[in-house]
Amino acid sequence: MIFSNWLRRIDGYALTWRLPVIIWQVLFFLAPLVFMIAMSFFLVKNYQMKEAFEFVNWVKIFSKGYFWSSYGLSFGLAFLATITATCIAFPASYCLAFKLSETARRWAIFFLIIPFFTSYLVRTFSWYVLLAESGVINNIIGYLGIGPIKMLNTMFGTMIGYLTLTLPLVIILQTLSMASIDKNLIEASHNLGAGRVRAIFSVIIPSARIGLIIGALFCFILSFGDFVSPYYLGGSNPPTLPILIIDTTKSGQQWPRAAVIATIMMVTLMLVALSAIKIAYKKR
Amino acid sequence: MMVNDKSIVWILKIYLLIIFVFIFMPIITSVVFSFNSDRFPSLPLGHFTWNWYDKVYYDSETWDAIRTSIIVALSASVLATIIGFCTAYTDFRYSFRFKNAYLALALLPPTIPLIILALAMLAWFSKLGISGQIWALIIAHTVLGAPFAMAIIRLRLQQMDKDLESAAWNLGASEWATMRHVIIPFALPSIISALCLTMAVSFDEFAIAWFVSGLNKSVPVVILEILQGNVDPQINAIGSFVFATTMTLVVIAQLFLFTKKPNNH
């Protein structure tokens, strides 16, 4: 009976639902990534890519000083964005999770989802116009007798862009994890004489740890892989890794070298993600 | 009761407001600037104008891009929703060996930076010989959309009583009939919601589109190319149009997402 049931599931019904995603993702998600890693060992001769297994591209990239400065910059910027976004988001998420009604919180999250679906390019362009030397913000502070302050083509510009990209998501993830904390736990800590700050550090942050770290991780992934902000707001000097990938692919015909950079980025992100998950789920 | 310092709560709320202003500032300014006459907007604003919309309206390249975007978004959303539904149902009903690996495969795409996927897909599609064709874009956006569709439909199935399915079988309905008459009707709001959201994802994506689309530029690719040139408020006009479109989709999606369970008889 069980066996025949199993047999019936095997042919047809179960497979109909199970297979599509496997086939699609293997063909069009895994295969491209695997092929890209393989491509990092290909050769380029006379502007033609030749399939091969050589370490030339890896050696080339690793020996280039500009690659390492780009790597350091990208990692540093993404890390800075992660810390900044996490800290800036926390009070906002705290307020959303504990100080607002259920209805208000739902509306807030609805509004936080909106930016996710508005063109990031257009938002970046808006910041470009706002932050420019003769732009709106410098206009305003000019009336107050300050400025103009150079904000475009600085690290500040890049950070504004990264935060525009990541802040809504970080706040959503933090809020959801904090809203699910048992309120009795917090009340108990107050009854035991813990003040507001103490309660935040010894009850709320540990309980919401997973959400906080996952939020930070997504912030890192998004910032590390973004080319729009460091290019248009940060001035790309020196370029970050994503910009390097674009330059190498689009102008140089050097796809294998771009593949080396992309592979290194992927490995970096994997290591970051694994350590983040380890921290998130380790026993207290 | 918690000690609630009114002043602290007020400070927090003002802080929250500032954060929201920061998040929405670029969106609002882009809409405002799209009606502003100055080429490089500054204060005080110039006068009201439809000029930028006119320019976009009479630009055939934009219309080509809009057509491409619509074709791609429609096809990719249908494919992504079908794949997402299959995966969500599999996760809902079955447990099997390697299920974790199966789910990881299904849900992983959003964690890979788009620029890496863009390069990988460009290389792979070139090898398959479809790079630069509209198919490449549809396939890529399906990969991106499927995890979202899966997540949304899975959430909906979560609300379904598991016994509902077995009850139908006990009454003699085949698995296929049960799927058709019980599960799909139940999941329908989330299916519509998934269609809208994956469409919005496709409509906004620019990195992969820029790499693989070749001459079939989608709207975001056109925006990117304008951005690479000079400061041109046309971006705001196109951007406001894209914003209106995706917002409509997202609002529809959320309306369906938050509908209550249908009253089955």
Side-chain angles (χ1 to χ4, degrees):
Chain A
M1 172 68 189
I2 291 169
F3 179 74
S4 67
N5 210 357
W6 181 77
L7 204 68
R8 202 178 66 220
R9 278 185 194 177
I10 271 298
D11 57 272
Y13 191 75
L15 287 184
T16 308
W17 310 109
R18 203 170 302 176
L19 285 182
V21 78
I22 299 179
I23 294 169
W24 194 272
Q25 299 293 68
V26 166
L27 269 182
F28 301 123
F29 174 63
L30 277 191
L33 290 175
V34 171
F35 183 70
M36 184 190 76
I37 295 170
M39 188 171 76
S40 72
F41 300 101
F42 290 1
L43 292 174
V44 177
K45 289 239 165 83
N46 303 327
Y47 303 104
Q48 291 277 315
M49 205 163 61
K50 275 221 176 77
E51 301 197 2
F53 191 76
E54 301 279 347
F55 286 86
V56 181
N57 308 303
W58 286 85
V59 174
K60 264 264 159 43
I61 292 292
F62 274 118
S63 65
K64 288 274 198 285
Y66 68 82
F67 168 75
W68 291 108
S69 54
S70 284
Y71 187 89
L73 180 74
S74 306
F75 199 96
L77 284 176
F79 192 75
L80 185 63
T82 307
I83 302 289
T84 315
T86 304
C87 295
I88 290 181
F90 189 82
S93 317
Y94 177 84
C95 180
L96 282 171
F98 298 116
K99 305 297 175 196
L100 292 182
S101 66
E102 176 76 37
T103 328
R105 180 158 66 237
R106 194 167 285 190
W107 275 103
I109 288 180
F110 170 76
F111 276 107
L112 287 172
I113 292 174
I114 291 178
F116 194 65
F117 293 98
T118 58
S119 171
Y120 176 48
L121 292 171
V122 176
R123 283 183 288 155
T124 308
F125 177 70
S126 289
W127 278 122
Y128 181 89
V129 171
L130 289 168
L131 297 176
E133 206 125 334
S134 54
V136 174
I137 291 177
N138 271 322
N139 273 178
I140 294 172
I141 61 175
Y143 286 123
L144 305 171
I146 318 166
I149 301 170
K150 184 175 161 66
M151 293 178 279
L152 219 54
N153 300 334
T154 64
M155 198 190 275
F156 177 78
T158 311
M159 279 302 136
I160 292 286
Y162 282 165
L163 289 178
T164 307
L165 180 67
T166 60
L167 210 49
L169 182 63
V170 175
I171 295 178
I172 290 174
L173 290 171
Q174 286 190 355
T175 304
L176 293 179
S177 66
M178 281 200 261
S180 63
I181 296 175
D182 188 353
K183 298 281 187 298
N184 292 324
L185 219 57
I186 299 161
E187 222 169 286
S189 80
H190 286 303
N191 289 340
L192 292 170
R196 194 184 303 275
V197 176
R198 181 86 191 278
I200 288 178
F201 281 100
S202 54
V203 178
I204 295 174
I205 291 181
S207 314
R209 191 179 55 188
I210 294 177
L212 299 180
I213 293 177
I214 298 295
L217 176 61
F218 268 102
C219 179
F220 187 89
I221 294 175
L222 286 173
S223 315
F224 195 61
D226 175 39
F227 65 89
V228 177
S229 292
Y231 191 87
Y232 294 104
L233 302 176
S236 179
N237 190 25
T240 57
L241 294 182
I243 298 173
L244 221 51
I245 291 182
I246 292 168
D247 287 348
T248 322
T249 316
K250 290 257 172 191
S251 54
Q253 296 286 334
Q254 275 289 355
W255 292 11
R257 281 188 210 170
V260 172
I261 303 171
T263 309
I264 296 172
M265 278 182 74
M266 244 171 40
V267 172
T268 307
L269 284 177
M270 236 179 256
L271 292 177
V272 170
L274 285 179
S275 26
I277 288 165
K278 207 167 176 190
I279 297 170
Y281 288 95
K282 76 163 186 239
K283 294 267 185 296
R284 247 179 275 163
Chain B
M1 268 305 289
M2 254 183 87
V3 207
N4 247 349
D5 264 347
K6 273 222 169 88
S7 55
I8 290 189
V9 173
W10 271 109
I11 292 171
L12 277 174
K13 282 186 179 168
I14 290 167
Y15 180 83
L16 188 64
L17 190 72
I18 294 171
I19 297 286
F20 269 87
V21 168
F22 172 80
I23 291 174
F24 283 93
M25 177 108 91
I27 300 172
I28 293 162
T29 48
S30 106
V31 176
V32 172
F33 290 159
S34 74
F35 296 110
N36 180 32
S37 61
D38 296 341
R39 175 160 273 276
F40 197 92
S42 61
L43 293 178
L45 292 171
H47 56 86
F48 180 90
T49 181
W50 286 103
N51 187 13
W52 310 116
Y53 288 91
D54 270 358
K55 260 181 110 172
V56 171
Y57 186 82
Y58 290 111
D59 185 15
S60 66
E61 196 191 26
T62 321
W63 284 107
D64 288 345
I66 289 174
R67 206 179 51 230
T68 305
S69 273
I70 290 175
I71 295 171
V72 171
L74 284 176
S75 327
S77 67
V78 170
L79 284 169
T81 304
I82 292 172
I83 293 171
F85 177 84
C86 296
T87 319
Y89 178 70
T90 302
D91 179 40
F92 166 74
R93 182 168 158 195
Y94 300 100
S95 53
F96 47 91
R97 281 179 74 191
F98 308 121
K99 188 170 168 185
N100 283 337
Y102 172 84
L103 289 178
L105 181 69
L107 294 173
L108 222 47
T111 65
I112 307 284
L114 290 172
I115 189 69
I116 296 179
L117 278 181
L119 175 65
M121 285 179 171
L122 170 67
W124 182 240
F125 290 155
S126 302
K127 185 164 175 66
L128 297 184
I130 54 169
S131 177
Q133 293 179 25
I134 207 161
W135 289 108
L137 213 46
I138 294 172
I139 290 171
H141 285 179
T142 305
V143 170
L144 288 185
F148 289 99
M150 140 87 186
I152 291 163
I153 296 169
R154 184 68 186 81
L155 276 176
R156 176 71 182 172
L157 290 178
Q158 194 68 41
Q159 299 170 358
M160 191 171 84
D161 201 337
K162 269 210 162 173
D163 298 336
L164 210 60
E165 207 181 6
S166 24
W169 301 333
N170 287 340
L171 292 171
S174 72
E175 281 180 313
W176 290 106
T178 310
M179 170 59 73
R180 218 185 113 192
H181 296 293
V182 178
I183 294 165
I184 289 180
F186 185 88
L188 198 59
S190 66
I191 290 172
I192 296 171
S193 181
L195 277 172
C196 293
L197 279 187
T198 48
M199 226 181 281
V201 167
S202 162
F203 217 72
D204 252 1
E205 196 284 325
F206 56 88
I208 299 179
W210 185 34
F211 270 57
V212 306
S213 64
L215 293 174
N216 293 304
K217 293 173 197 161
S218 65
V219 175
V221 177
V222 170
I223 297 180
L224 190 68
E225 286 184 347
I226 302 177
L227 200 58
Q228 284 168 332
N230 281 319
V231 172
D232 189 336
Q234 270 192 70
I235 288 185
N236 294 319
I238 306 178
S240 302
F241 164 76
V242 175
F243 177 61
T245 316
T246 45
M247 267 327 294
T248 314
L249 291 170
V250 173
V251 168
I252 296 173
Q254 298 229 1
L255 285 179
F256 276 98
L257 205 57
F258 290 124
T259 45
K260 296 276 171 281
K261 297 181 188 181
N263 299 320
N264 290 331
H265 315 297

